[in-house]
Amino acid sequence: MTSLKNVIVNYQENEYENEIKNKTICIIGYGNQGRSQALNLKDSGLHVIIGNNNDSYAEEARKDGFKVFNIVDAAKYGDIVFLLIPDEIQKSIYDKEIGPNLRKGAVLVFASGYNYYYGLISVRQDITVLMIAPRMIGWGVRDVYLKNMGFPVLVGIGNDPEKKGNNILMTICNMLGVFRSGGCAVMSSFMEETLVDLLSEHSWVGAMLYLFRAYYEVATELGASPASVILELYGSGELAEIAAAMKDQGLFEQLKTHSRTSQYGQLTRGPEYVMDEIKGLIKKEAMDILNGKFAREWTEEENYGYLVYNKLHELARKHPMEKDERELYKILGRL
Ligand code: NDP
């Protein structure tokens, strides 16, 4: 069996726990992750400040009781600086506003492996670089904390000039609420996080969108009504229930909550979609992630990624399924 020794479920006390109480935690960005992580750390008793442009996010942070600074000043004040702004803009903001202003010996925390793994952000040698990448959407990080529960994170250590990286990492995870019931920290790396995160998006998550569309085309051509198709696929919320059962019971174990007819259909027909060619495709995508081809396409080539992104969104909106979905959601009072 593969080793699962890298899964840490219990916090081990260490000497940094006292040190962190005297540190200023600076959260750059007050969006999905920024707000939740800032509130969790504050409620765990740490001194937290926010760095953000002076707009509605900053206003929200003030309402939540934080002192808000512009990004340059926040970076100057922080002993531990969390970079919680979108991945694709991190490099330009870091290079101009954060990197040159970090205190000597500061700690920099990423929530994803992307920019550090690809070397897009290069960090001074005196800075300790850590990764705490939640496997949980932003509001969930706050929601489980308020329910006194934990959540899973992938963690990693980059630069570690003072060799305190592991203790700092574990202490911050503990303060974020990671080690409460149901949570864990998986000792990982910037590379692994980048691979598993992007590979999901480049394989089954993306494929699911287009498989749903193919299903819609076939079923409506055969006379099924758009409402029945959309509710069947995702509109009813059953899909979310299946995902929750996978999390709680396991991928195949949850099958037992479906009818026997359903299980028979899934087990006999499902494998037909995953031939060797599909595995080859997943491997090709994995290589494009690891060798940086995808990252260059998305973030480096003169806005190319954004142009394609906008075009594909526009095209997606024109599909008849999209129009039917909007109509249905209006009738159901969701819009
Ligand atoms: P958001 O999109 O929610 O970030 C919004 C924040 O970024 C706002 O404070 C916004 O402030 C700021 N921001 C946006 N553009 C700029 C800019 N040009 N200059 C300065 N600030 C800017 O980010 P997420 O929370 O989704 O992601 C943050 C990190 O967390 C990423 O590394 C991501 O990969 C990681 N992550 C995210 C998860 C998620 O659930 N979303 C899950 C796990 C990891 P303003 O617009 O006012 O400038």
Side-chain angles (χ1 to χ4, degrees):
M1 202 172 88
T2 327
S3 167
L4 291 174
K5 281 188 189 141
N6 59 340
V7 182
I8 304 164
V9 287
N10 293 317
Y11 171 62
Q12 280 160 2
E13 287 178 24
N14 63 71
E15 60 266 27
Y16 198 76
E17 203 176 307
N18 277 328
E19 277 185 52
I20 201 170
K21 290 177 188 150
N22 302 316
K23 304 287 185 195
T24 295
I25 314 290
C26 163
I27 306 281
I28 308 277
Y30 204 68
N32 296 314
Q33 288 294 332
R35 178 169 190 264
S36 293
Q37 296 196 26
L39 288 168
N40 288 7
L41 294 172
K42 178 161 80 94
D43 288 354
S44 293
L46 298 183
H47 173 53
V48 181
I49 62 167
I50 307 299
N52 209 90
N53 294 327
N54 198 15
D55 60 10
S56 56
Y57 287 104
E59 197 45 45
E60 192 179 16
R62 281 190 204 97
K63 274 197 202 127
D64 288 337
F66 291 104
K67 251 190 150 161
V68 182
F69 299 87
N70 64 47
I71 294 176
V72 168
D73 285 341
K76 280 182 190 162
Y77 299 143
D79 297 300
I80 302 176
V81 176
F82 285 64
L83 197 50
L84 296 178
I85 55 179
D87 290 323
E88 66 275 16
I89 56 149
Q90 284 183 6
K91 178 182 166 49
S92 67
I93 303 295
Y94 182 86
D95 287 351
K96 279 188 237 137
E97 303 180 47
I98 301 171
N101 296 303
L102 288 177
R103 288 179 174 195
K104 192 168 184 323
V107 176
L108 180 67
V109 185
F110 288 90
S112 73
Y114 194 98
N115 281 288
Y116 193 70
Y117 170 60
Y118 290 123
L120 297 171
I121 290 182
S122 51
V123 182
R124 274 190 347 241
Q125 283 308 308
D126 60 295
I127 306 292
T128 299
V129 179
L130 305 176
M131 177 186 75
I132 301 176
R135 273 23 231 169
M136 174 77 67
I137 53 176
W139 69 263
V141 165
R142 182 62 182 157
D143 188 51
V144 293
Y145 183 96
L146 291 172
K147 291 178 176 147
N148 206 15
M149 288 172 68
F151 57 96
V153 292
L154 293 194
V155 296
I157 302 174
N159 274 358
D160 192 10
E162 297 177 33
K163 302 288 169 244
K164 284 182 175 178
N166 193 56
N167 283 354
I168 304 173
L169 197 53
M170 290 302 126
T171 306
I172 297 174
C173 283
N174 188 40
M175 297 290 184
L176 281 170
V178 166
F179 296 117
R180 295 169 174 199
S181 167
C184 68
V186 177
M187 275 319 284
S188 177
S189 66
F190 289 80
M191 184 198 84
E192 183 182 67
E193 200 279 334
T194 305
L195 174 67
V196 297
D197 187 47
L198 294 184
L199 192 56
S200 276
E201 294 154 9
H202 298 189
S203 56
W204 67 272
V205 180
M208 185 175 69
L209 300 175
Y210 292 90
L211 266 177
F212 280 7
R213 182 175 280 178
Y215 174 112
Y216 166 94
E217 286 167 2
V218 171
T220 52
E221 271 162 33
L222 291 172
S225 74
S228 63
V229 168
I230 291 166
L231 289 170
E232 172 65 30
L233 288 172
Y234 55 88
S236 69
E238 189 187 9
L239 182 64
E241 282 160 17
I242 294 173
M246 284 178 184
K247 174 181 86 73
D248 293 334
Q249 298 166 30
L251 187 61
F252 280 80
E253 199 58 31
Q254 60 80 30
L255 278 179
K256 293 177 187 158
T257 62
H258 303 236
S259 71
R260 279 205 198 95
T261 311
S262 163
Q263 292 180 50
Y264 179 75
Q266 293 182 55
L267 291 167
T268 53
R269 269 56 178 182
E272 290 175 12
Y273 290 86
V274 189
M275 326 124 196
D276 282 350
E277 289 92 318
I278 299 292
K279 229 172 134 187
L281 200 56
I282 297 175
K283 199 158 183 194
K284 179 197 156 298
E285 293 303 335
M287 291 306 125
D288 285 353
I289 292 165
L290 290 175
N291 66 25
K293 186 165 181 274
F294 171 77
R296 282 192 294 281
E297 174 187 323
W298 171 229
T299 38
E300 281 180 39
E301 289 173 13
E302 292 281 312
N303 250 347
Y304 170 80
Y306 261 118
L307 290 176
V308 174
Y309 164 89
N310 287 329
K311 191 76 207 156
L312 291 176
H313 257 297
E314 198 185 308
L315 277 177
R317 296 286 165 192
K318 287 190 178 143
H319 193 275
M321 183 175 174
E322 191 74 13
K323 291 194 197 105
D324 288 335
E325 179 202 88
R326 298 291 89 187
E327 284 301 307
L328 175 65
Y329 279 21
K330 253 186 240 159
I331 293 169
L332 297 176
R334 293 180 190 171
L335 294 178

